[in-house]
Amino acid sequence: MEKNIAIEVSNLVTHYGERQILKDVSMSVYENEIMVVMGGSGSGKSTLLRHLLGLEQPTSGSMYLLGQDITTLSEKDMYALRKEMGVSFQGGALFGSLTVGENVRLPLKEHTRLDEKTMQIISRMKLEVVNLSGFENMMPSELSGGMIKRVALARAIVMDPKLLFFDEPSAGLDPVTSAELDELIIKLRDAMKMTMVVVTHELDSAFKIADRITVLDQGNVLICGTVDEVKNSKIERVQALLNRQIRDDSVDADAYLNRLTL
């Protein structure tokens, strides 16, 4: 059975000034798939995520989300497409002056004309999905780190998006809370039939939730494959990442001195 592609990244190149960050990155994500993007610090995974969210434009290349190339979309069309996208940010990004329920309802208030009662019902349903029923009147300051992540997830899915993006969902969580969040991500994908892209450096989490994994290194795609394919890869850089080995980049002494003195 042929799988439909939800996200297609082709030959993506990005520069910050003179520095090239992404180097001809290509990646496909199928419908209802959890694609994990991994890589060390400075590999380009966060830059790739910002591009997929339409927050930055690449130097060249194309990115098709739900059949639309977001590198060429007008601001109006991009605004419409974002209604089909949900984002769960690394720190939760909750508004401290709003209650849990108000945070979850915010996308509905911004993008729909639903009445207040209907929005309350929808937000309560989503909080129940993330096992936070009854917490809607609490403030973010009263929540644990894991609860903040789940509130952020409830807000990300409140409009039933087709695409869901995560930025380091397990960062800062203890192992038990992290495992619970992983289970929730899988259940959400299965229940709501969403396509997910998860940027993470947590190996245990990646291996548990991923249908496939894309490994980036210094702006290049090293491998894109199933968990077993990544684990069994013969690529030295991939194994170095999986085994947390220090990268051994040889440095030319004369070139290093020139960099310091120029």
Side-chain angles (χ1 to χ4, degrees), residues 22-39:
L22 297 179
K23 305 169 183 176
D24 200 34
V25 169
S26 295
M27 176 184 76
S28 298
V29 185
Y30 299 116
E31 288 182 356
N32 305 330
E33 178 179 44
I34 299 178
M35 171 66 79
V36 169
V37 179
M38 293 180 60

Side-chain angles (χ1 to χ4, degrees), residues 13-76:
V13 175
T14 298
H15 291 83
Y16 290 159
E18 296 294 321
R19 186 180 173 206
Q20 188 172 0
I21 307 299
L22 297 179
K23 305 169 183 176
D24 200 34
V25 169
S26 295
M27 176 184 76
S28 298
V29 185
Y30 299 116
E31 288 182 356
N32 305 330
E33 178 179 44
I34 299 178
M35 171 66 79
V36 169
V37 179
M38 293 180 60
S41 179
S43 62
K45 58 185 187 296
S46 294
T47 299
L48 176 60
L49 179 61
R50 288 195 295 272
H51 284 326
L52 290 172
L53 296 176
L55 300 177
E56 295 180 3
Q57 284 290 327
T59 305
S60 61
S62 63
M63 292 178 290
Y64 282 85
L65 273 63
L66 304 178
Q68 301 184 71
D69 185 355
I70 64 173
T71 63
T72 62
L73 282 185
S74 67
E75 187 174 335
K76 179 182 177 181

Side-chain angles (χ1 to χ4, degrees), residues 19 34 40 56 93 99 103-104 128 146 154 181 201 227 249:
R19 186 180 173 206
I34 299 178
E56 295 180 3
T99 66
N103 267 283
V104 175
E128 193 166 330
L181 187 59
H201 67 278
V227 171
D249 290 328

Side-chain angles (χ1 to χ4, degrees), residues 1-6 29-31 33 211-212 226:
M1 182 176 172
E2 188 175 344
K3 298 179 181 179
N4 295 322
I5 293 176
V29 185
Y30 299 116
E31 288 182 356
E33 178 179 44
D211 291 306
R212 289 189 300 144
T226 64

Side-chain angles (χ1 to χ4, degrees), residues 96-197:
S97 61
L98 302 181
T99 66
V100 165
E102 288 169 340
N103 267 283
V104 175
R105 289 194 292 274
L106 194 58
L108 297 174
K109 292 179 74 72
E110 292 290 323
H111 301 298
T112 75
R113 296 182 179 179
L114 296 173
D115 61 85
E116 188 67 26
K117 187 63 176 179
T118 301
M119 289 191 289
Q120 286 180 356
I121 293 171
I122 293 173
S123 65
R124 286 171 188 161
M125 289 172 59
K126 300 309 184 190
L127 284 169
E128 193 166 330
V129 167
V130 300
N131 302 319
L132 285 178
S133 179
F135 286 81
E136 64 177 318
N137 293 320
M138 294 186 71
M139 302 300 292
S141 59
E142 300 175 290
L143 305 179
S144 67
M147 292 168 72
I148 288 173
K149 297 270 191 180
R150 283 187 280 157
V151 173
L153 180 52
R155 183 177 61 186
I157 64 172
V158 75
M159 291 185 61
D160 296 326
K162 295 178 181 177
L163 304 177
L164 187 57
F165 299 89
F166 292 89
D167 184 14
E168 300 285 2
S170 302
L173 301 181
D174 64 82
V176 173
T177 305
S178 178
E180 290 173 347
L181 187 59
D182 290 339
E183 288 287 352
L184 181 57
I185 289 172
I186 295 170
K187 288 178 181 177
L188 270 178
R189 187 276 308 272
D190 294 341
M192 300 183 71
K193 306 301 181 185
M194 288 184 291
T195 302
M196 300 184 180
V197 176

